[in-house]
Amino acid sequence: MRKVRGFRSALLAHFDRTRRNFPWRFDRTPYRVLVSEFMLQQTRASTVLAYYEPWLRRFPDWNALAGASTEEVLLAWKGLGYYARARNLHRTAAIVRDRYQGCLPRSPAVLMTLPGVGEYTAGAVGSIAFGLCAPAVDGNVRRVLARLLDAERPSASRLREEATRLLDPARPGDFNEAMMELGATVCTPRAPRCGDCPVARHCEARKEGTVAHRPAPRPPRKIPRTDYATAVPVDPQGRSLLVKRPETGLLAGMWEFPAVELLPESKRPGGSGGGSGLEDSNVETAALKRLAELGVSGKMAGRLAPVRHAFTHLRAVYHPVVVRCGEQALRQLHLPKKQAVRADPHDLDSRALPVAQQKIGARLAAWLRDCCQVATRGPYD
């Protein structure tokens, strides 16, 4: 027990001296803590800094967030990625407002019933916002514990048991943050700064010389690739068509240029993963067919450079095809008004577009500028 007390004391003293001054550490009300934890899931703190305070200005409490539309929430989250987090946070706010009278439940077990709240988030919120003795094991803490234990592939239950044993009951929130901070700044995946570590004398991996190998890297998994023919219709005013994605699934409820999935790479003739294996005519035909399904006709006018985007489970490649349409073409859609909108590609910031779709919009805007420049040149320019 003396070693455990020494570990806690050394770690917290280091944290008190060196902690980074993130805005979510100054006001630990439950709402603000939960917002920060949702934003920090799978995202670097340096990235979250640009979103946290603007979000709180737009949605300062449970009521403001619960009363907002999905479109407003996704727009405020735009660029932060993993949009399911935004939808889950939105749903959680409505539950807290309607079921719990605007007070976030204190119990980690009850917190885990809320959308998007797992064991780690429940522990982090419970300890930081409510001072509960609940461990919080994220990726950084997993690495710190694996090295402390000199464990190659420690199980989740073993890590949780060790985190619970070490947790300081007097300052559980600070302790959990200190462990995360240690992993993020000192006990890093590569080139850990063991000489600066406040708990180095407790580290079994350092004694055994195995720090670089703890924890053992997870075996790489093959991430499939999917190609999309993406129709980019343009009317005479340079406006394009955006359609809303379904309310469930990948990028739910967000806007995109009309697209259709092409034949998977493994099923293409000669598709071994080296090249795209796509015929230009197939992409263009698929894009025009997708527009026809929406009631839009036009002529192929050009191709934009492919846009690649990596999701956690998928490598997506979008192949944009520009289609020139008549004045009325984008008005006669086989979609409800709320599912489609005409948009100026130079002004897409007011729409909740995923990153890949923003890139397509930027390329379309550049393509239109080039077309205008060519059209205005004299015969001898």
Side-chain angles (χ1 to χ4, degrees):
M1 191 60 192
R2 182 180 299 173
K3 288 184 178 181
V4 172
R5 286 196 295 267
F7 178 92
R8 294 168 179 167
S9 177
L11 179 66
L12 287 168
H14 175 80
F15 182 63
D16 290 339
R17 288 193 309 271
T18 65
R19 75 172 80 191
R20 292 174 289 179
N21 292 322
F22 294 133
W24 49 87
R25 287 178 172 165
F26 297 121
D27 187 340
R28 294 186 169 188
T29 55
Y31 174 73
R32 289 173 175 245
V33 171
L34 190 68
V35 168
S36 69
E37 289 301 331
F38 266 73
M39 288 186 170
L40 289 164
Q41 291 170 9
Q42 298 178 294
T43 305
R44 293 179 181 276
S46 56
T47 301
V48 172
L49 280 171
Y51 288 85
Y52 180 71
E53 290 183 311
W55 177 278
L56 292 176
R57 286 194 293 272
R58 177 65 186 83
F59 311 114
D61 52 35
W62 301 113
N63 287 335
L65 180 54
S69 67
T70 301
E71 177 80 8
E72 290 175 298
V73 171
L74 292 176
L75 183 60
W77 198 274
K78 187 170 75 171
L80 196 52
Y82 301 100
Y83 291 92
R85 296 178 297 172
R87 291 188 292 274
N88 284 331
L89 184 55
H90 191 203
R91 290 164 57 204
T92 290
I95 292 171
V96 172
R97 179 194 63 185
D98 300 337
R99 188 182 304 171
Y100 298 108
Q101 294 76 50
C103 296
L104 188 69
R106 295 173 60 92
S107 165
V110 178
L111 286 171
M112 287 177 62
T113 67
L114 298 173
V117 178
E119 188 174 87
Y120 160 75
T121 302
V125 173
S127 62
I128 296 170
F130 300 122
L132 302 179
C133 285
V137 181
D138 69 349
N140 284 320
V141 176
R142 175 179 179 269
R143 182 171 58 257
V144 170
L145 292 174
R147 288 170 174 170
L148 287 171
L149 296 167
D150 191 27
E152 186 176 17
R153 290 188 176 88
S155 65
S157 59
R158 187 182 182 193
L159 291 174
R160 181 175 177 80
E161 179 183 338
E162 184 66 9
T164 302
R165 187 178 75 89
L166 295 174
L167 186 62
D168 191 321
R171 298 176 62 187
D174 284 345
F175 182 89
N176 282 334
E177 285 197 281
M179 288 286 282
M180 297 177 216
E181 185 99 334
L182 186 70
T185 61
V186 176
C187 195
T188 52
R190 288 170 291 279
R193 298 187 294 112
C194 297
D196 298 327
C197 180
V199 292
R201 67 188 184 91
H202 299 273
C203 183
E204 292 298 319
R206 190 186 189 204
K207 294 175 186 175
E208 299 298 326
T210 57
V211 170
H213 308 289
R214 299 292 183 265
R218 293 176 174 138
R221 59 189 179 94
K222 185 175 181 180
I223 300 177
R225 163 177 161 164
T226 301
D227 289 84
Y228 297 90
T230 305
V232 188
V234 181
D235 70 8
Q237 283 72 45
R239 290 170 298 190
S240 190
L241 173 68
L242 297 175
V243 296
K244 184 166 281 194
R245 291 184 59 82
E247 292 301 324
T248 58
L250 183 66
L251 303 173
M254 302 192 75
W255 294 95
E256 69 175 1
F257 294 95
V260 61
E261 183 177 333
L262 295 164
L263 193 65
E265 184 180 31
S266 60
K267 296 183 180 179
R268 296 181 207 135
S272 61
S276 70
L278 293 173
E279 295 288 341
D280 286 349
S281 59
N282 292 341
V283 174
E284 292 156 12
T285 299
L288 290 171
K289 182 179 179 182
R290 173 65 177 132
L291 285 183
E293 292 171 352
L294 298 174
V296 177
S297 61
K299 293 183 178 181
M300 208 280 285
R303 293 283 297 274
L304 306 177
V307 171
R308 292 170 170 80
H309 187 76
F311 297 96
T312 53
H313 65 294
L314 172 72
R315 289 186 299 122
V317 183
Y318 301 90
H319 302 268
V321 178
V322 182
V323 179
R324 287 285 191 186
C325 302
E327 176 67 34
Q328 298 299 318
L330 302 188
R331 298 180 184 272
Q332 301 168 350
L333 298 173
H334 299 163
L335 281 174
K337 288 185 178 180
K338 292 184 178 180
Q339 298 297 313
V341 66
R342 288 188 299 170
D344 185 332
H346 297 87
D347 185 26
L348 296 178
D349 287 345
S350 61
R351 303 287 173 184
L353 263 70
V355 171
Q357 304 301 313
Q358 294 175 48
K359 291 179 180 178
I360 294 173
R363 290 177 187 183
L364 173 61
W367 186 88
L368 289 170
R369 283 195 299 271
D370 289 343
C371 288
C372 290
Q373 289 170 3
V374 170
T376 56
R377 287 174 188 160
Y380 304 106
D381 286 353

